[in-house]
């Protein structure tokens, strides 16, 4: 069964598709070594009034932009960017640029408990502006009509950018509520004395607790496909392509988005006791499909055999000879997913909004940088300018766990925001 795609648009990480751990996959290697109850309480207090704390949120002024007044936040330690002053603490790798995004950055850094009320306020204003614009009927013609349409296009783009940054701020807040710090931007120039870039603390236990037990079984399979027999090895350091790590991170975000979506449906049907009968019986059919899906195309065990699958990307050192599908285990949620027809599976594996796709792209690029991609005349990627980073397998596991959780949170906040300000088209 082929994995349905959700493509990152115009991104160097767009070569990947979301894996649902039931597609063909390979163990990945570095230097010849093989490595191949989610809390649904959104935590938003809708009755909280941000106006009660306006006197505490100093450090910004206001200016008019059309019919709306935005807070403009001065550069301070409250920024999500590492370039900010003050304490220099970094909340998230992506810097928010719109006036609304900067305002939410200030609140996240100083008064994160006020973010839900601030988001509610901004979404109401966005809805008001959109409604007013839709009621306006241009009476002009010719050049004036073209100008009117151009202004409307600019306003729509501004709203979309603000909406993206609202979604991102809400995802960051969910990590803060879970007491999990996001990994900062990865820069080989900023490493420890050994050259390792993964100086961040391990928070695997906290990340595990953010998923249901059934979902975490699937995440373990996902980790096994990526790390192979290095899954339990947290100390060994490998030199790996930075681009490939970024690609796996982006694919894992999309996987987490898909996984949360199907797990939400699974948990609902489980609570209503309407799960398919096959989930309580024989899982041999699932294992058979797993074995078929993990067989290399054309009988060749190489990266070239299946270049479109996310976990088949080659890492520095080549592909493991340990075979395909090592570590894949049947689970109830996996069996449930396998019961979907092709159309349902594709719908669930597709990211619903352009804003969510853009967030994945921008967050990944903020974390790993935007690599210089050169396509050779033969149509292959020239990796001569690709950077290699030193990272432990424990650091890789932490990256993947964060990425999957990021995707899960993204599904939650996208659904929440869409209930207040409709933007999801499918």
């Amino acid at each position: 069964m082929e994995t349905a795609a959700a493509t990152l648009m115009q991104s160097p990480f767009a070569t990947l598709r979301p894996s649902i751990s039931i597609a063909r996959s390979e163990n990945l290697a570095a230097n010849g070594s093989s490595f191949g109850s989610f809390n649904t309480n959104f935590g938003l207090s809708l009755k909280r009034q941000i106006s009660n704390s306006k006197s505490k949120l100093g450090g910004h002024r206001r200016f008019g932009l059309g019919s709306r007044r935005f807070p403009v936040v001065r550069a301070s330690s409250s920024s999500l960017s590492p370039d900010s002053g003050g304490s220099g603490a970094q909340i998230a790798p992506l810097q928010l640029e719109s006036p609304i995004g900067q305002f939410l950055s200030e609140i996240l850094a100083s008064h994160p408990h006020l973010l839900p009320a601030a988001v509610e306020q901004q979404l109401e204003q966005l809805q008001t502006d959109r409604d007013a614009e839709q009621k306006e009927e241009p009476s002009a013609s010719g050049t004036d009509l073209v100008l009117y349409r151009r202004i409307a296009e600019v306003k729509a783009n501004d709203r979309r950018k603000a909406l993206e940054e609202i979604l991102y701020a809400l995802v960051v807040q969910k990590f803060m509520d879970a007491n999990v710090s996001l990994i900062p931007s990865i820069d080989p120039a900023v490493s420890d004395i050994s050259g390792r870039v993964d100086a961040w603390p391990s928070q695997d236990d906290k990340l595990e607790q953010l998923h249901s037990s059934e979902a975490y079984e699937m995440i373990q399979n996902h980790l096994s496909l990526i790390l192979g027999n290095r899954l339990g090895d947290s100390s060994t350091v490998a030199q790996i392509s930075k681009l490939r790590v970024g690609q796996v991170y982006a694919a894992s975000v999309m996987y987490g988005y898909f996984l949360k979506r199907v797990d939400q449906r699974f948990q609902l049907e489980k609570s209503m006791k309407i799960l398919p009968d096959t989930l309580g019986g024989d899982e041999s059919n699932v294992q058979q499909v797993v074995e078929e899906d993990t067989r290399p195309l054309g009988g060749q065990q190489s990266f070239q055999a299946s270049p479109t699958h996310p976990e088949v990307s080659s890492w520095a050192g080549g592909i493991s000879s340990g075979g395909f599908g090592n570590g894949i285990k049947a689970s109830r949620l996996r069996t449930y997913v396998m019961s979907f027809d092709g159309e349902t599976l594709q719908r669930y594996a597709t990211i619903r909004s352009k804003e969510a796709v853009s967030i994945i792209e921008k967050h990944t690029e903020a974390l790993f940088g935007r690599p210089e991609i050169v396509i050779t005349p033969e149509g292959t990627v020239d990796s001569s300018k690709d950077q290699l980073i030193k990272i432990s397998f424990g650091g890789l596991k932490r990256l993947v766990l964060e990425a999957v959780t990021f995707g899960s949170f993204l599904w939650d906040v996208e659904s929440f925001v869409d209930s207040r300000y409709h933007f999801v088209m499918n």
Side-chain angles (χ1 to χ4, degrees):
M1 175 169 49
E2 293 293 331
T3 306
T7 305
L8 292 181
M9 299 179 299
Q10 297 180 351
S11 170
F13 303 108
T15 57
L16 293 181
R17 297 191 292 158
S19 163
I20 60 172
S21 287
I22 57 175
R24 302 178 183 89
S25 301
E26 295 185 17
N27 285 340
L28 308 177
N31 297 334
S33 300
S34 170
F35 72 97
S37 29
F38 183 81
N39 184 7
T40 57
N41 178 16
F42 194 58
L44 294 180
S45 176
L46 302 181
K47 296 183 179 180
R48 201 177 285 158
Q49 298 298 321
I50 191 171
S51 58
N52 294 339
S53 298
K54 281 184 178 178
S55 60
K56 299 180 182 180
L57 296 177
H60 63 266
R61 56 186 175 85
R62 306 178 72 88
F63 76 103
L65 182 62
S67 62
R68 188 186 310 155
R69 294 173 65 81
F70 291 107
V72 179
V73 182
R74 299 189 183 97
S76 68
S77 60
S78 65
S79 173
L80 300 187
S81 168
D83 298 329
S84 60
S87 64
Q90 181 182 12
I91 300 176
L94 180 61
Q95 180 180 9
L96 305 186
E97 299 175 347
S98 71
I100 289 179
Q102 292 178 4
F103 176 49
L104 297 180
S105 298
E106 174 84 0
I107 293 178
L108 271 174
S110 57
H111 299 79
H113 63 285
L114 295 177
L115 186 75
V119 166
E120 289 275 7
Q121 188 181 68
Q122 297 299 336
L123 290 176
E124 289 177 6
Q125 186 62 58
L126 287 176
Q127 185 65 55
T128 299
D129 290 352
R130 185 169 66 178
D131 292 344
E133 185 176 311
Q134 291 174 349
K135 291 178 181 178
E136 295 179 3
E137 295 185 0
S139 58
S141 60
T143 305
D144 290 341
L145 181 59
V146 172
L147 180 59
Y148 175 87
R149 289 175 176 173
R150 177 56 182 159
I151 292 174
E153 182 182 340
V154 170
K155 288 181 178 179
N157 289 337
D158 288 344
R159 283 197 300 271
R160 179 182 172 186
K161 185 177 182 64
L163 191 60
E164 289 177 8
E165 298 192 347
I166 286 173
L167 291 169
Y168 189 78
L170 288 171
V171 170
V172 173
Q173 191 209 25
K174 288 181 74 67
F175 275 99
M176 295 176 70
D177 287 346
N179 197 27
V180 175
S181 57
L182 283 164
I183 294 172
S185 299
I186 295 176
D187 184 359
V190 182
S191 57
D192 61 17
I193 192 171
S194 66
R196 283 176 49 181
V197 298
D198 55 319
W200 51 78
S202 173
Q203 296 181 306
D204 296 356
D205 292 341
K206 293 180 180 178
L207 291 167
E208 177 182 351
Q209 294 171 6
L210 297 173
H211 305 273
S212 69
S213 58
E214 293 89 354
Y216 194 72
E217 287 179 350
M218 296 277 284
I219 294 172
Q220 284 288 93
N221 283 335
H222 181 70
L223 286 167
S224 296
L225 290 170
I226 295 172
L227 301 177
N229 59 11
R230 294 289 190 175
L231 181 58
D233 182 357
S234 61
S235 58
T236 302
V237 177
Q239 195 170 38
I240 308 171
S241 161
K242 187 179 180 182
L243 172 62
R244 300 304 183 192
V245 178
Q247 288 176 328
V248 169
Y249 187 94
S252 297
V253 173
M254 292 186 284
Y255 177 71
Y257 181 97
F258 161 82
L259 188 59
K260 176 60 190 222
R261 193 173 186 179
V262 297
D263 186 49
Q264 196 172 62
R265 171 173 160 172
F266 175 83
Q267 298 299 335
L268 176 61
E269 294 188 10
K270 178 182 175 182
S271 64
M272 298 177 66
K273 302 185 185 304
I274 58 173
L275 286 173
D277 294 337
T278 54
L279 292 184
D282 186 14
E283 293 185 340
S284 60
N285 291 337
V286 179
Q287 191 61 38
Q288 180 181 355
V289 174
V290 169
E291 292 171 358
E292 292 176 354
D293 281 345
T294 55
R295 187 178 300 123
L297 292 176
Q300 295 181 356
Q301 191 168 311
S302 67
F303 168 65
Q304 289 80 8
S306 181
T308 59
H309 289 83
E311 286 149 353
V312 182
S313 302
S314 61
W315 300 58
I319 300 294
S320 166
S321 59
F324 292 81
N326 291 343
I328 296 179
K329 298 178 181 178
S331 65
R332 294 190 72 196
L333 183 56
R334 182 185 183 81
T335 309
Y336 179 74
V337 172
M338 296 295 291
S339 70
F340 290 177
D341 58 66
E343 182 180 351
T344 301
L345 183 61
Q346 174 149 358
R347 186 175 72 253
Y348 272 74
T350 301
I351 296 176
R352 299 180 298 172
S353 68
K354 293 180 180 179
E355 289 79 6
V357 172
S358 180
I359 287 173
I360 297 173
E361 175 187 338
K362 291 177 180 178
H363 175 72
T364 305
E365 289 182 2
L367 188 58
F368 295 94
R370 188 176 183 88
E372 184 178 349
I373 304 298
V374 179
I375 305 299
T376 65
E378 292 76 21
T380 60
V381 177
D382 181 5
S383 59
S384 61
K385 295 185 178 181
D386 188 16
Q387 285 183 298
L388 296 179
I389 58 174
K390 288 184 177 181
I391 185 171
S392 68
F393 290 102
L396 284 171
K397 179 181 178 182
R398 167 76 165 85
L399 272 171
V400 173
L401 283 175
E402 176 188 287
V404 172
T405 306
F406 189 100
S408 176
F409 285 167
L410 183 57
W411 163 263
D412 279 340
V413 302
E414 183 187 55
S415 301
F416 167 78
V417 172
D418 186 61
S419 69
R420 269 71 178 170
Y421 178 86
H422 180 61
F423 68 100
V424 174
M425 302 308 296
N426 56 330

